[in-house]
Amino acid sequence: MLKKALDSRTKTLGEEIIGLRGVRKTFPGGVLALDGVDLHVRQDEVLVIIGPSGSGKSTLLRCINGLEEIDAGEVTVDGLVLSERTRDAIRREVGMVFQSFNLFPHLTAVGNIMLAPRLVRRWSRRQTDEEAARLLDRVGLSGLGGRYPHQLSGGQQQRVAIARALAMRPRIMLFDEATSALDPEMIGEVLEVMKELALEGMSMVVVTHEMGFAREVGDRIALMDAGRIVEQALPESFFEDPRHERTRAFLSQIL
Ligand SMILES: Nc1ncnc2c1ncn2[C@@H]1O[C@H](COP(=O)(O)OP(=O)(O)OP(=O)(O)O)[C@@H](O)[C@H]1O
């Protein structure tokens, strides 16, 4: 059903919502992680980033929401140029989901999901309880809000982490290898939630090795290598066009 809906969707993408222009990032010790990245994501678009280990994918995501400072170039999010002054406003627009779920072990699922809205938005208990129930339902975890992370499977914990990111009502979601730490049988349930979000029109940047997801859900795919975006294309041509030599070489390594 979901696959069919995705296959038949005719998407009209909106204005640019994320823009990176000439972004460079060097880590202490001289590692050049981003070597002049130009990348543009439009509203409603799902951009999938693939690439070898160490090519700069995580750093790129972290630069979009200001978790890393850039050395040169410019990042814009929803019309704001990222700077010290705009960083907090941008972070409220951008939800991020990591490989390791990063849930607080001493808080229940609801406690984890509603922590930021309680602190930042100063929502009342009643507001947050209602919102948490809605979010738990959205990620398929109705009724499990009272459980602590250790009482949930890896897939369930990651879905709580997605609900937590959604609780701030972001306009953009970044996923950094969100399924890489999961047992194989739990990967599908998390990808399904990500697909649903894509269908609802969320703008997303997804770093993943899940090529099925990339093909089915991605509007565009970008290959990173050595701190640069080296190829970009629509999923069909990305996987099938023999001219995408570097993509073929990378895929032959991982598939
Ligand atoms: N905090 C840091 N300090 C120093 N070097 C770093 C730091 N974070 C990343 N790097 C280096 O920057 C480069 C890019 O790393 P990054 O994690 O962005 O790559 P990646 O493509 O996400 O890799 P992976 O697929 O293994 O997660 C690598 O050489 C990495 O060792």
Side-chain angles (χ1 to χ4, degrees), residues 2 9 25 30-31 35-36 79 84 107 111 126 138 149-150 154 158 165 180 191 212 218 224 231 243:
L2 185 57
R9 73 183 167 174
K25 169 72 188 172
V31 179
D35 184 12
E84 229 170 275
L107 294 178
R126 202 172 125 237
R138 197 164 168 192
H150 75 271
Q158 190 58 303
S180 298
L191 292 179
M224 268 196 99
E231 291 185 349
R243 283 171 300 180

Side-chain angles (χ1 to χ4, degrees), residues 49-64:
I49 300 181
I50 62 175
S53 180
S55 56
K57 306 179 297 296
S58 293
T59 306
L60 187 148
L61 291 188
R62 294 168 64 81
C63 286
I64 293 173

Side-chain angles (χ1 to χ4, degrees), residues 27-28 31-34 51-60 68 99 176-177 207 209 224:
F27 284 108
V31 179
L32 180 59
L34 298 181
S53 180
S55 56
K57 306 179 297 296
S58 293
T59 306
L60 187 148
E68 300 285 357
Q99 180 176 339
D176 191 2
E177 301 204 25
V207 169
H209 289 293
M224 268 196 99

Side-chain angles (χ1 to χ4, degrees), residues 19-26 32 34-40 60 63 70-76 227-229:
L20 282 80
R21 292 169 188 83
V23 171
R24 281 173 69 88
K25 169 72 188 172
T26 308
L32 180 59
L34 298 181
D35 184 12
V37 172
D38 289 299
L39 191 66
H40 305 274
L60 187 148
C63 286
I70 62 175
D71 304 324
E74 185 181 82
V75 175
T76 54
R228 289 178 152 264
I229 304 287

Side-chain angles (χ1 to χ4, degrees), residues 31-102:
V31 179
L32 180 59
L34 298 181
D35 184 12
V37 172
D38 289 299
L39 191 66
H40 305 274
V41 182
R42 294 166 66 184
Q43 268 170 33
D44 295 355
E45 187 173 24
V46 178
L47 173 71
V48 175
I49 300 181
I50 62 175
S53 180
S55 56
K57 306 179 297 296
S58 293
T59 306
L60 187 148
L61 291 188
R62 294 168 64 81
C63 286
I64 293 173
N65 70 350
L67 286 174
E68 300 285 357
E69 265 182 51
I70 62 175
D71 304 324
E74 185 181 82
V75 175
T76 54
V77 177
D78 206 7
L80 289 176
V81 177
L82 179 61
S83 67
E84 229 170 275
R85 194 175 56 77
T86 59
R87 192 168 47 209
D88 288 347
I90 285 179
R91 282 207 188 137
R92 283 197 286 273
E93 297 272 303
V94 182
M96 186 151 176
V97 177
F98 302 87
Q99 180 176 339
S100 50
F101 331 121
N102 295 347

